Amino acid sequence: METLQSLADFRKEVISFVEGHLPADIAEKVHLNAELQKDDYVRWQKILEEKGWYCAHWAERDGGAGWSPLKRYAFEQALAEAGAPWILPFGPAYVGPVIAEYGTDAQKQRFLPDIIASRTAWCQGYSEPGAGSDLAGLKTRATRQGDTYVVNGQKLWTSYAHWADMMFCLARTSDEDRPQKGISFLLLDMHQPGVSVRPIMTMDMRHHVNEVFLENVEVPVENLVGAEGVGWEIAKFLLSTERLIVAETGKSRRLLDQVRSIASEAREGGKPLLDVPHFANAFTETEIALETLEASCTRLLKRAAQGQQPGFEASLLKIRGSELLQSITALATRVAARSGMPLEGIDDMDRGNRAPDPNAEMSGLLREYLTQRAASIYGGSNEIQRNIVSKARFGF
């Protein structure tokens, strides 16, 4: 297992790499919390892959470097702190590990190299109208006809489906006494007839999520992952992975530092906001909460590195991580309110080599505040997570 010193050295290496290799236009977009395009993500993914870091948490046999969960956490935290884009998780963090764990040799050979090389973009077909956090209620149906499943249904809140080449999709293949038993995990080509993607504009005025309609969509039986009817088991495996990385402490650290920097320049009563007692207290309380969450993540990931599967603690990380992001961006709105800073349309700005503009930074943070309203909903709502914790810890 890595030592604290080796992880600290690795973190410095990652930050130095980002400073030397992240394209300037992408770095500015991240700093301003502006909207990144698919090409921005792919360019950065390919830079990471050249370094051997893009899917390094995968086992070596699958094309990775066999990183421990703790080293992966240190890597992703350092990336976010250094101002690198979020790594879109659908290929490297979600379906890739599923295929490596449950897929056939043919599926591994076909799909894993394309994920590593960023040749295939993925989306997650889980939520539906009436089946969000309660996935067992999903209605999308896959009917087997010879060597093909014919899929009909609707998926909702499908992040970046408008960029995706493939969807990993939960669909009902049979009706059982327990609804979880009849669900299967399919790999679905998004470029075929019968797949319709409709954008949903969220209140941050961006296009993250979509409705996806599936009408007589054909999926070869060879694209079934695992046995028919074990999709619920696979979904739980994927969600446990998702909740280990959803705390996003690196992003919280970057945003908090950015808000603190702006507050040190903003004035109230002739002195910096950071010197105003109620603002100083708010920053101190948020810093303590962040350090506590980082320590909790480290403890849980050390256990994961020793082979202990995350239990209800992963739900706690999701709850605290999402609430912390919301708290930090809410703090940003309080700073903005003292300066009368507007929400500007920064996503289409052509800034060139101009110096950083505090108004543009603050506007980006306000946009991030709107984006983070969804953090306590996606990945399983925090209400559902609390139910998981209550049942696991207290039996009710």
Side-chain angles (χ1 to χ4, degrees), residues 38 42 45 90-91 95 110-111 114-115 117-124 158-168 187-192 195 197 217-218 223:
K38 181 179 180 180
V42 171
Q45 288 166 191
F90 310 106
V95 75
R110 177 183 172 189
F111 294 112
D114 281 352
I115 293 174
S118 295
R119 288 190 292 264
T120 303
W122 288 81
C123 65
Q124 178 175 353
T158 313
S159 298
Y160 302 107
H162 53 299
W163 292 348
D165 304 299
M166 297 288 296
M167 171 191 285
F168 52 97
L187 308 179
L188 183 153
D189 185 346
M190 293 289 286
H191 298 303
Q192 62 179 301
V195 178
V197 179
V217 172
E218 296 185 355
N223 281 14

Side-chain angles (χ1 to χ4, degrees), residues 22 26 29-30 34 36-38 40-42 44-45 48 54 72 75-77 79-81 83-94 122 124 159-160 163 208 242 245-251 254 325 368 371-372 378:
L22 180 63
I26 299 177
K29 286 183 179 181
V30 174
L36 275 72
Q37 301 304 312
K38 181 179 180 180
D40 297 322
Y41 288 106
V42 171
W44 179 235
Q45 288 166 191
L48 290 176
Y54 180 47
R72 177 190 178 189
F75 171 68
E76 295 189 359
Q77 186 180 39
L79 283 183
E81 285 186 50
W86 179 50
I87 295 178
L88 294 177
F90 310 106
Y94 295 172
W122 288 81
Q124 178 175 353
S159 298
Y160 302 107
W163 292 348
H208 309 278
E242 178 180 7
I245 65 174
V246 81
E248 294 192 87
T249 54
K251 182 173 184 176
R254 177 179 64 81
L325 278 169
E368 189 67 24
T371 300
Q372 292 304 328
Y378 60 64

Side-chain angles (χ1 to χ4, degrees), residues 175-223:
D175 295 303
E176 308 284 349
D177 55 343
R178 292 183 67 248
Q180 292 90 339
K181 290 184 178 180
I183 295 172
S184 296
F185 193 101
L186 303 174
L187 308 179
L188 183 153
D189 185 346
M190 293 289 286
H191 298 303
Q192 62 179 301
V195 178
S196 300
V197 179
R198 296 182 188 173
I200 299 174
M201 301 304 293
T202 47
M203 68 179 180
D204 58 1
M205 297 175 281
R206 292 178 178 169
H207 178 195
H208 309 278
V209 295
N210 306 269
E211 294 178 281
V212 180
F213 298 88
L214 306 170
E215 184 176 356
N216 295 324
V217 172
E218 296 185 355
V219 177
V221 170
E222 65 192 34
N223 281 14

